[in-house]
Amino acid sequence: MNKSIKEEEKDDGSKIFQTIEVAKVDHRSNVSPPPSAGTTPLLEVSTGDEFSLLPPLNFAMVDNGIFRSGFPDSTNFSFLKTLGLRSIISLCPEAYPENNMQFLKSNGIKLFQFGIKGSKCLPGLENEVWLHLRKHQKEGSYTNGNSKTTEPFVNISDYKIREALKVLLDEKNHPLLIHCNRGKHRTGCLVGCMRKLQKWCLTSIFDEYKRFAAAKARISDQMFMELFDVSSFKNTPMSFSCSSS
């Protein structure tokens, strides 16, 4: 399969993200003809992929032209076609599955991959995470945008979230789907940081995050969103509304 892969690196040589461009194949010759005049079209039910409109896990609309979900698989492809996607933001570090790449190629969808490793706090450590971050915040030694900060529990990359936000805010990439593995933590953090740009209050941001994370909600993720500095995006054009929630 022909792919054009562009990788960007930081000054230290570490990879930020990769963009994969794929060619589009025109399938219009396979479109079925419209029903004959005078007939009433019926809802067609089929076990085939063509009529199986199954959304990915935790799918939802975030804003105009922006969607979120867990990792899509082949059972979700017919549904995703209805969205007319131009781009996908994947927050998973693993190589994108070949089956998914074929789907992107067939539909002219660009993949932006920001590899953020999923991680879990050990049971009982969430409060320690909170206290740890609060301590460093009060001492002034914790700066969310500082890549040199070493904190042992939170593994969301501030820099990669910022780069993903730039892609997310660019209307040329819409309609766009954001996904991680389950559509909960990494996706929730990216959406939460976008909500700060929309001037949502923290209570509303956390409520939305918890709707998807449910019992798996992490204090560390919420702390990340609370500390995330959006001031560098104040002059960035935005196609969505920026009103308080």
Side-chain angles (χ1 to χ4, degrees):
M1 178 180 62
N2 294 326
K3 296 184 291 187
S4 174
I5 302 177
K6 176 184 177 183
E7 296 186 353
E8 291 197 13
E9 299 182 347
K10 291 196 287 186
D11 293 339
D12 61 4
S14 59
K15 187 167 67 173
I16 303 168
F17 74 98
Q18 63 177 355
T19 303
I20 303 177
E21 297 188 28
V22 290
K24 184 175 182 179
V25 177
D26 191 350
H27 290 296
R28 285 177 293 182
S29 60
N30 295 327
V31 176
S32 301
S36 303
T39 62
T40 303
L42 300 176
L43 178 62
E44 189 161 2
V45 179
S46 170
T47 57
D49 289 341
E50 184 178 359
F51 301 102
S52 178
L53 300 180
L54 179 67
L57 177 71
N58 275 329
F59 176 83
M61 182 176 181
V62 177
D63 209 294
N64 292 332
I66 302 174
F67 306 92
R68 62 179 289 170
S69 75
F71 209 115
D73 59 31
S74 59
T75 63
N76 311 129
F77 291 168
S78 292
F79 174 82
L80 294 181
K81 283 183 181 180
T82 68
L83 304 179
L85 296 175
R86 288 183 183 173
S87 310
I88 285 180
I89 292 178
S90 173
L91 302 176
C92 299
E94 297 81 14
Y96 220 58
E98 184 65 24
N99 204 24
N100 290 57
M101 289 304 305
Q102 289 287 354
F103 171 74
L104 300 188
K105 178 181 178 181
S106 298
N107 292 275
I109 300 172
K110 181 183 290 187
L111 173 66
F112 295 90
Q113 189 165 14
F114 300 87
I116 301 174
K117 292 183 178 180
S119 61
K120 297 180 180 179
C121 285
L122 295 175
L125 286 185
E126 278 286 281
N127 286 334
E128 292 187 32
V129 172
W130 184 267
L131 293 173
H132 170 82
L133 293 175
R134 279 296 185 193
K135 175 177 180 291
H136 285 279
Q137 184 186 33
K138 290 178 181 178
E139 292 175 352
S141 59
Y142 182 91
T143 303
N144 200 280
N146 183 0
S147 60
K148 295 181 180 179
T149 299
T150 56
E151 41 85 18
F153 303 117
V154 180
N155 288 306
I156 295 292
S157 168
D158 180 279
Y159 189 80
K160 289 183 178 180
I161 289 292
R162 289 183 182 279
E163 292 301 305
L165 266 178
K166 292 177 184 178
V167 174
L168 177 60
L169 298 176
D170 189 345
E171 194 173 5
K172 295 192 299 291
N173 297 320
H174 297 178
L176 175 149
L177 174 70
I178 311 162
H179 79 78
C180 53
N181 188 30
R182 309 289 291 180
K184 295 180 179 180
H185 303 107
R186 287 165 285 186
T187 298
C189 285
L190 178 57
V191 171
C193 292
M194 189 199 87
R195 296 305 191 195
K196 292 190 76 172
L197 286 169
Q198 293 180 295
K199 299 181 173 63
W200 281 31
C201 66
L202 284 174
T203 300
S204 296
I205 292 173
F206 294 163
D207 283 347
E208 181 181 43
Y209 168 83
K210 291 173 184 176
R211 277 206 311 273
F212 293 91
K216 300 291 185 179
R218 298 173 184 165
I219 293 175
S220 55
D221 287 348
Q222 295 170 70
M223 193 67 183
F224 175 88
M225 290 182 279
E226 180 179 349
L227 295 176
F228 188 81
D229 182 9
V230 298
S231 61
S232 62
F233 292 93
K234 62 182 180 181
N235 296 321
T236 303
M238 302 176 197
S239 61
F240 47 71
S241 60
C242 290
S243 58
S244 299
S245 172

